[in-house]
Amino acid sequence: MSRTEKGWIAELVIPRTCLGVDPKVGSFIGFDAEATDTDADGKNKGKLTCFCPNGDAWKNPSLFGTAKLVE
């Protein structure tokens, strides 16, 4: 993860065996990422998501954004 003038860039590596398909450069996949600030008591203090504005993508994949696979 690195900071830019406009925010942050995060690079993510996912083993292709986890995708259940043979991904190719230029393919598109559904994607969302979420960061949650949770206290020791289990209560969320805050949440930030990439594509899903209400944070429900974890239970509803139709709310995912689209990511393009690149080299």
Side-chain angles (χ1 to χ4, degrees):
M1 184 171 253
S2 60
R3 189 175 186 99
T4 70
E5 290 180 13
K6 295 181 180 182
W8 295 87
I9 292 178
E11 186 172 330
L12 176 66
V13 177
I14 302 171
R16 70 173 72 204
T17 56
C18 293
L19 297 176
V21 295
D22 185 19
K24 306 223 180 331
V25 171
S27 296
F28 293 89
I29 60 170
F31 180 80
D32 195 44
E34 178 177 299
T36 306
D37 182 3
T38 305
D39 285 339
D41 64 3
K43 294 185 180 176
N44 288 344
K45 290 173 47 181
K47 185 186 295 187
L48 175 66
T49 64
C50 286
F51 299 104
C52 179
N54 65 5
D56 285 343
W58 65 273
K59 63 182 178 180
N60 185 353
S62 71
L63 300 173
F64 286 0
T66 303
K68 184 177 181 178
L69 302 179
V70 298
E71 288 186 43

